[in-house]
Amino acid sequence: MQGPTKKEKIYEGKAKILYTTDNPDYLIQYFKDDATAFDATKRGTILQKGVCNNRISTKIFGLLESKGVPTHFVELLNDREMLVKKVQIVPVEVTIRNIVAGGMSKLLGLEEGIALESPVLEYHYKEDKLHDPLINDYHILALKIASKEELDVISKTSFMINEILKDFFTQKNLDLVDFKLEFGRCKGKIILADEISPDTCRLWDKDTRQKLDKDRFRRDLGGVEDAYQEVLKRVLS
Ligand code: 5GP
């Protein structure tokens, strides 16, 4: 069977590019090696990151689909590209936290590494100019960013994804510290979109507590490329 034909670039973000295809329902999602942090004030390249994130996301989307979570993933096309369903992104980033780190540590003055009694869900309004501010359900409903029904699906699905991914990464000797999700509307349904990778998750080795994610880039810890390769190796093992 012939693969989809790539047509025009419709979006270029910090880490990915989207192209239209000959099928109006499908887009090609291309993973770049570019890395940014702190609202793109820090920029760099992580060699082979795009290849790692494409493969890691493919594995995770496949796992989630097999457990009944609808996603935008259609198929892996090549090293850096996957075919995805066209969605209208809900401009809310959903963060789930199992262990205190990053933004939560800063917001509440807590030490990184404290295990949370139960997972914490946060919503951030997806708006770079405002630095993705923390918002809650009431903001989302009052500003009609999403409906009550959509938000119920988004929160339930996010907690379900957390349970699936915590188990999965435990088998890989990794702690899923926290992660960010984005959802989209597709033919009247809410489905998971974007990517799930070391760019969007914090992953710590269970024994050594070594960080194996984008924090190595954000915090200049060195060994950035090796960390992405290590996660890919474990995810595919
Ligand atoms: P924090 O709020 O602590 O900075 O981030 C929480 C989690 O969500 C981390 O795993 C982080 O990688 C992910 N995350 C939050 N916002 C973004 C974002 O704008 N881009 C990416 N790639 N990941 C994000």
Side-chain angles (χ1 to χ4, degrees), residues 2-40:
Q2 208 188 325
T5 308
K6 193 194 271 182
K7 297 186 96 172
E8 47 168 327
K9 189 199 277 193
I10 51 161
Y11 169 84
E12 178 154 7
K14 288 168 269 183
K16 296 187 294 297
I17 305 174
L18 291 174
Y19 298 92
T20 55
T21 68
D22 45 358
N23 181 335
D25 292 336
Y26 290 165
L27 299 176
I28 289 173
Q29 177 163 259
Y30 176 96
F31 289 78
K32 303 195 283 185
D33 284 350
D34 299 352
T36 63
F38 314 119
D39 296 318

Side-chain angles (χ1 to χ4, degrees), residues 79-94:
D79 261 6
R80 288 182 183 270
E81 292 176 329
M82 60 168 65
L83 190 64
V84 297
K85 291 177 187 153
K86 185 174 185 167
V87 302
Q88 180 206 12
I89 289 285
V90 178
V92 169
E93 295 187 347
V94 183

Side-chain angles (χ1 to χ4, degrees), residues 31-134:
F31 289 78
K32 303 195 283 185
D33 284 350
D34 299 352
T36 63
F38 314 119
D39 296 318
T41 52
K42 181 179 170 81
R43 288 171 184 273
T45 301
I46 302 173
L47 284 178
Q48 296 295 106
K49 173 173 81 80
V51 177
C52 291
N53 286 357
N54 189 29
R55 295 216 181 115
I56 294 166
S57 291
T58 292
K59 174 76 189 183
I60 292 177
F61 283 137
L63 169 72
L64 294 174
E65 288 277 355
S66 76
K67 305 271 183 188
V69 176
T71 79
H72 72 157
F73 178 75
V74 179
E75 62 174 335
L76 179 72
L77 295 174
N78 55 51
D79 261 6
R80 288 182 183 270
E81 292 176 329
M82 60 168 65
L83 190 64
V84 297
K85 291 177 187 153
K86 185 174 185 167
V87 302
Q88 180 206 12
I89 289 285
V90 178
V92 169
E93 295 187 347
V94 183
T95 302
I96 299 271
R97 302 179 187 275
N98 298 304
I99 297 175
V100 173
M104 183 171 184
S105 154
K106 216 163 147 192
L107 182 74
L108 299 174
L110 296 169
E111 211 175 300
E112 285 202 323
I114 301 168
L116 294 160
E117 198 55 42
S118 51
V120 169
L121 179 149
E122 288 172 6
Y123 297 117
H124 292 257
Y125 184 47
K126 196 171 147 62
E127 181 56 82
D128 282 347
K129 280 198 305 262
L130 302 173
H131 318 293
D132 297 343
L134 183 67

Side-chain angles (χ1 to χ4, degrees), residues 93 95 97 101-103 132 178-180 199-202 214 218:
E93 295 187 347
T95 302
R97 302 179 187 275
D132 297 343
D178 56 30
F179 58 99
K180 183 260 295 184
D199 268 13
T200 63
C201 302
R202 285 195 172 94
K214 196 174 163 192
R218 294 187 187 103

Side-chain angles (χ1 to χ4, degrees), residues 128-184:
D128 282 347
K129 280 198 305 262
L130 302 173
H131 318 293
D132 297 343
L134 183 67
I135 55 173
N136 66 30
D137 314 41
Y138 293 93
H139 295 99
I140 294 171
L141 299 180
L143 298 172
K144 296 198 160 109
I145 297 169
S147 70
K148 175 87 177 70
E149 292 70 30
E150 287 175 332
L151 205 52
D152 283 347
V153 172
I154 288 173
S155 59
K156 275 197 196 109
T157 309
S158 299
F159 283 120
M160 184 174 160
I161 292 171
N162 186 41
E163 292 311 312
I164 297 167
L165 294 189
K166 265 196 308 185
D167 272 5
F168 175 73
F169 283 118
T170 293
Q171 290 164 33
K172 313 296 176 190
N173 207 38
L174 291 167
D175 271 328
L176 178 61
V177 173
D178 56 30
F179 58 99
K180 183 260 295 184
L181 302 172
E182 293 187 25
F183 291 87

